[in-house]
Amino acid sequence: MTPLQRFAERRHRLAAAMAAAGGGLAVIPTAPERTRNADNDFPFRFDSSFHYLTGFTEPQAWLLLDSSGRSLLACRPRDPEREIWDGFRLGPQAAVATLGVDAACSLAELETCIEQRLAGQPALWLPCGVHDGLAAQAESWMGRLRSLARHGVEAPQAQRDLSPLLAELRLRKDADELNTLRRACAISAGAHVRAMRFCAERLSSGVASLREYELEAELLHEFRRHGAHGPAYSSIVAAGPNACVLHHVAGDAELRPGQLCLIDAGCELDGYASDITRTFPASGRFSAPQRELYELVLAAQAAAVAATRPGARQRDAHAAAVRVLAQGMLDTGLLPADRHGGLDDVIDSAAYRQFFMHGTGHWLGRDVHDVGEYLALDEAPVDQPDDRGGRIVKKPSRVLQPGMVVTLEPGLYVRPAPGVPEHFWHLGIRIEDDAVVTASGCEVISRGVPVQADDIEALMR
Ligand code: GLY
Ligand code: MN
Ligand code: MN
């Protein structure tokens, strides 16, 4: 399938989903350009769903798609003067042949095109909850159509949310998307390897420390030299105790021999994110307490990987990881058994959340926390444990299918506290890999960087 055919096929699948839900016209903008400071903008990043449907990367563009499958792209007109400053613009004249849409218009004609195509449609479909100001714009298009009622113009009866339809489409990746994700993971894995090696070389060369931003620079270098757009999210490079701050971003903290370093970083390639975490000893050798907790997190991840297969539920991986971690907390004395009871007590009371307070994974795709419903919306609610030691009645989590992509990222984060063995204080460990659900299990696509403690030590020697 050519890229143009792939984008056309996605538009047709979306149109079919709209048709099955009553039909109408979808209006989908790309992302806005955003000011960073004064007259500097943040680098432009297209909207993930817009790009999924068009492959078009310019700002100020809109896709109109009706439920019969007819598409129209509105984009910036050619402008030789502006193109000297900002670069090439495709322009509406070339858009049909280049992008394979059925029609194109200039931005100046957008409102007219929307109103013409919206008249007589049963519904206006918008990606809700994504674009600031879109709802107000929609009100103005609808108001104008209603004001033309006496001329026989029919405004849509309803506004519908396109986001769940887009999320369902994007949740199961096709073969091309999976290949892009595999390539993104390979680049990111290489970047993690590079950072580990850099750390080992630096600390063994007599220089006693290095700073988080130096490792971040190594990651960036590796992303960009392989053609990745950049990081898919702010890289976390956490020296020692900083690893216990879940959203720590690479700063200027020093990484010292004897400490662990946690790196959570992944590149974005052709619009797809990767998301990998490794935790390694700065000096290349895990201490005994570090290794003890590392092996525990690794065992929890292995349980999560085993629980990730078609027919299992998305939440099963978390439950499996929690069981291993909770048992490990009892075995290591992180949670003294005389105060916390047995494994089921630790899970039922959510006591494990003192050291493992986040989920075990999320959907991965164009967005690092990708779109996709986590609950099985077509099933009845059931009574189930919540994460805080209580019970909750809610829909079960959804059943995994081939083509879904998840992260598997258990961790342990030990802050100093009374009763917590001191040799574990300030250790923060997370191991995160990306996995594609296959016909029989899952394919872990991010293992281009070692994950076994011995293999990490070997790499850093
Ligand atoms: N790096 C973001 C996450 O792991 O969810
Ligand atoms: Mn993640
Ligand atoms: Mn991550």
Side-chain angles (χ1 to χ4, degrees):
M1 207 187 265
T2 65
L4 253 54
Q5 288 168 334
R6 190 172 316 122
F7 293 120
E9 193 237 3
R10 291 172 187 165
R11 290 193 296 272
H12 281 110
R13 282 197 289 142
L14 179 61
M18 285 160 52
L25 177 79
V27 178
I28 307 163
T30 193
E33 294 163 288
R34 292 194 193 277
T35 303
R36 179 177 181 275
N37 63 308
D39 58 353
N40 291 303
D41 285 346
F42 282 106
F44 176 70
R45 163 58 156 78
F46 44 76
D47 174 76
S48 293
S49 290
F50 175 87
H51 188 254
Y52 176 79
L53 296 166
T54 62
F56 192 48
T57 56
E58 287 186 28
Q60 299 182 42
W62 297 68
L63 174 69
L64 276 51
L65 179 70
D66 69 30
S67 46
S68 72
R70 252 182 349 138
S71 56
L72 175 140
L73 185 102
C75 62
R76 301 177 303 183
R78 298 296 307 267
D79 181 338
E81 176 64 23
R82 279 314 320 165
E83 286 178 50
I84 291 172
W85 294 86
D86 303 331
F88 174 76
R89 296 179 175 191
L90 181 64
Q93 276 76 27
V96 171
T98 307
L99 301 174
V101 289
D102 298 314
C105 74
S106 179
L107 266 185
E109 302 159 301
L110 173 67
E111 304 256 309
T112 311
C113 285
I114 290 176
E115 286 166 18
Q116 280 172 353
R117 289 181 177 231
L118 202 47
Q121 290 283 356
L124 167 60
W125 291 80
L126 299 171
C128 296
V130 182
H131 304 275
D132 290 345
L134 183 60
Q137 279 175 291
E139 260 323 301
S140 105
W141 308 326
M142 296 284 267
R144 178 149 166 80
L145 284 186
R146 283 188 212 109
S147 76
L148 295 174
R150 64 181 181 284
H151 301 294
V153 174
E154 252 181 80
Q157 293 300 304
Q159 277 193 44
R160 307 283 303 275
D161 186 2
L162 193 66
S163 292
L165 271 50
L166 284 166
E168 276 306 298
L169 283 186
R170 284 174 51 192
L171 181 56
R172 276 172 292 269
K173 277 71 179 172
D174 61 36
D176 289 289
E177 294 184 284
L178 293 178
N179 277 334
T180 307
L181 283 162
R182 285 189 191 95
R183 285 193 296 128
C185 280
I187 295 171
S188 298
H192 279 261
V193 167
R194 184 185 178 102
M196 285 181 195
R197 287 212 170 107
F198 181 85
C199 181
E201 279 163 22
R202 189 58 103 66
L203 292 188
S204 67
S205 68
V207 180
S209 71
L210 78 167
R211 293 184 187 268
E212 292 170 347
Y213 59 71
E214 295 178 86
L215 290 175
E216 182 191 23
E218 295 302 307
L219 298 166
L220 262 175
H221 181 102
E222 199 69 11
F223 291 167
R224 288 297 282 153
R225 90 190 183 93
H226 289 289
H229 179 77
Y233 53 91
S234 299
S235 300
I236 296 173
V237 180
N242 287 343
C244 294
V245 178
L246 298 180
H247 290 160
H248 178 79
V249 291
D252 59 6
E254 267 187 52
L255 178 63
R256 297 201 180 84
Q259 288 184 326
L260 289 179
C261 178
L262 183 154
I263 295 184
D264 181 347
C267 69
E268 177 173 304
L269 180 74
D270 298 343
Y272 287 82
S274 49
D275 185 7
I276 302 179
T277 307
R278 288 293 183 268
T279 310
F280 57 93
S283 46
R285 289 291 297 270
F286 288 94
S287 69
Q290 289 169 352
R291 187 180 265 261
E292 190 174 14
L293 294 195
Y294 188 89
E295 299 289 0
L296 178 50
V297 176
L298 193 57
Q301 200 208 32
V305 170
T308 300
R309 51 192 149 72
R313 293 188 185 272
Q314 189 272 338
R315 191 87 182 154
D316 291 352
H318 181 64
V322 162
R323 271 199 100 66
V324 173
L325 289 173
Q327 183 62 55
M329 290 175 202
L330 291 166
D331 296 344
T332 56
L334 279 171
L335 292 176
D338 57 356
R339 288 228 317 273
H340 292 281
L343 174 60
D344 288 331
D345 302 313
V346 168
I347 293 173
D348 291 346
S349 66
Y352 66 86
R353 286 183 60 85
Q354 180 179 354
F355 305 109
F356 178 45
M357 61 298 282
H358 58 74
T360 298
H362 49 82
W363 307 126
L364 179 74
R366 291 182 157 257
D367 299 317
V368 64
H369 296 160
D370 206 27
V371 292
E373 177 56 55
Y374 285 90
L375 298 178
L377 294 180
D378 53 353
E379 293 185 39
V382 290
D383 179 63
Q384 51 192 302
D386 70 11
D387 273 344
R388 305 191 180 270
R391 307 283 308 173
I392 188 170
V393 177
K394 70 169 188 178
K395 308 257 184 196
S397 85
R398 78 184 291 162
V399 172
L400 295 177
Q401 295 174 347
M404 294 176 174
V405 182
V406 293
T407 66
L408 298 166
E409 49 179 304
L412 281 176
Y413 313 91
V414 186
R415 288 168 180 271
V420 174
E422 278 193 41
H423 51 273
F424 293 138
W425 284 13
H426 299 300
L427 297 184
I429 297 168
R430 178 164 64 256
I431 302 171
E432 176 172 28
D433 281 286
D434 304 337
V436 180
V437 181
T438 63
S440 58
C442 73
E443 174 194 351
V444 181
I445 59 174
S446 49
R447 286 284 169 82
V449 51
V451 70
Q452 300 293 332
D454 287 345
D455 295 342
I456 290 175
E457 289 185 348
L459 175 85
M460 295 184 72
R461 261 200 294 279

